[in-house]
Amino acid sequence: MEKLVSVANTESKTIECLPIEVLLIILEYLSPQERFNLALTSPTISNVLPYCKTWIFSKKSSKTMTKFNDTVKRVETFVLRQGGSSISPVSFYALGMFHNELKHFECNDIKSESVRHLAQFCKNLQFLSISSISSFDDKDLRNGFQNLQVLKINCYSNEMKSADYFLSLKQLKVFELQDAVINIDSKNVSVIEEPAPLEVLGLSYCKGSLMHIIRKCTQKLRSLDVSFTEIGDEEVQILVEKSPNIKCLNIEQCVLIKSTGFAHIGKKYGPNLDYLNVKGTSIFNSAISDLFGKCPKIIEQGILNLSWCMDLTNDGFVSVLTIFNRCLKSLVTFNTYISNAELEVLSNICPNLEELDIGGCYSVSDEGILSVLRRCKGIQDLFRYQYVN
């Protein structure tokens, strides 16, 4: 027993002697609760704990936030996964006031008043990710955030009036709005002489004034997500003019993009595209061969997902399969009109296929599947689930 006590004391002294910088690195690997528990066992840890710069919580309350603000100093990263609406704006007022060095903030379901306090005090904030099931007050969002580089907002189908303000931020590189009804005064947009140098733009599930945002995109834009929006050929034409260097494009369920839009995408973006999502679009037979025929990097990756592309028929499937040829490794055609005839072609010209998903494809029978299995020896995953009434 005496020997065990002696060893424990030696280890304790070793921990006590570690540099503060090392102790802080060790604490970064622990959850907040683990940190506080550890602090109860060591005066040294207790003294170092307040200087941890990164804090990630699954959930908090106003009471625990008060304790946090009283204990911890100089926070640079604060993340709250859920429960933001249960915390009073006063707690976020204290967070902003006591931790004005904050650079990274994430919080789900936060109140608009709480955002106003962050804007007021956290002048160095560079990363902001927030969501709210109620509307954000326009004045609260226009109250600061001049140094933001990354902004992510989920509006849960509420109105967003401040998009034009963020488009004017000089350092903003990533701007992702989700499920927002965008309402922008065209006069506010027209006075923006130097738009934000956006490299990533996300407008997934957004409605409203998308064209005003697209018109302020620049040549620096590299990634665009407009999935589940109502953009059409007109918006695509503006995009290829304003932002010709896009490498990642998500147009899933953009059913208003027609032949002209797909032609613009293929001609301007095709050669440099690293990622392209056309699931659920209205792409048809001639457009699909023209589009993918101009996307060598996509072909080289060997991944093709045409789920919910209901305008494709035999000719369209065969043409795109011919383009991919031996490069094709993964094919997903969930809920399309693909049939045994196309699978016969697939098995002949795409022998390196490893994954096939034909769920919801009622024109496919066991015969078509067997033809693929006989010739594509590398098949590892096969999905053929059907709806059951």
Side-chain angles (χ1 to χ4, degrees), residues 213-225:
I213 296 179
I214 290 173
R215 288 186 183 278
K216 288 302 175 181
C217 292
T218 71
Q219 294 187 4
K220 294 184 178 181
L221 192 65
R222 296 293 184 272
S223 177
L224 176 66
D225 182 354

Side-chain angles (χ1 to χ4, degrees), residues 70 78 89 95 115 125 139 156 168 195 230 237 256 274 283 288 292 316 318 332 346 358 380 383:
D70 291 340
F78 182 91
L95 178 71
V115 176
L125 202 62
K139 295 180 180 179
Y156 288 103
S168 68
E230 297 179 351
Q237 183 175 357
L256 297 183
D274 295 318
I283 195 166
I288 195 168
F292 282 97
V318 171
V332 182
L346 172 68
I358 47 175
Q380 299 176 14
F383 301 94

Side-chain angles (χ1 to χ4, degrees), residues 159-188:
E159 190 176 41
M160 162 60 67
K161 296 182 179 180
S162 312
D164 59 285
Y165 172 72
F166 295 118
L167 289 174
S168 68
L169 297 182
K170 304 304 181 185
Q171 300 184 51
L172 191 64
K173 296 181 179 180
V174 178
F175 186 24
E176 295 182 359
L177 279 179
Q178 184 174 353
D179 198 12
V181 180
I182 301 172
N183 186 355
I184 300 179
D185 188 334
S186 58
K187 295 180 181 179
N188 293 339

Side-chain angles (χ1 to χ4, degrees), residues 299-315:
I299 301 299
E300 186 178 353
Q301 293 172 15
I303 300 174
L304 179 61
N305 193 326
L306 300 174
S307 297
W308 295 94
C309 292
M310 305 296 290
D311 292 308
L312 290 177
T313 62
N314 178 275
D315 291 342

Side-chain angles (χ1 to χ4, degrees), residues 285 288-289 292-293 299 302-306 312-333 338-351 353 355-356 358 372 376:
N285 292 346
I288 195 168
S289 56
F292 282 97
I299 301 299
I303 300 174
L304 179 61
N305 193 326
L306 300 174
L312 290 177
T313 62
N314 178 275
D315 291 342
F317 283 116
V318 171
S319 66
V320 73
L321 291 176
T322 303
I323 291 172
F324 272 82
N325 210 278
R326 301 179 68 87
C327 292
L328 191 63
K329 297 178 181 178
S330 174
L331 175 63
V332 182
T333 59
I338 195 170
S339 66
N340 288 349
E342 290 84 44
L343 292 187
E344 182 69 24
V345 174
L346 172 68
S347 63
N348 284 323
I349 65 177
C350 304
L353 193 69
E355 178 185 17
L356 177 63
I358 47 175
V372 175
C376 301

Side-chain angles (χ1 to χ4, degrees), residues 44 55 58 73 99 154 186 244 247-248 292 313 317 320 326 368:
T44 300
W55 292 85
S58 58
K73 309 176 188 298
H99 308 286
N154 188 333
S186 58
K247 294 185 176 182
C248 298
F292 282 97
T313 62
F317 283 116
V320 73
R326 301 179 68 87

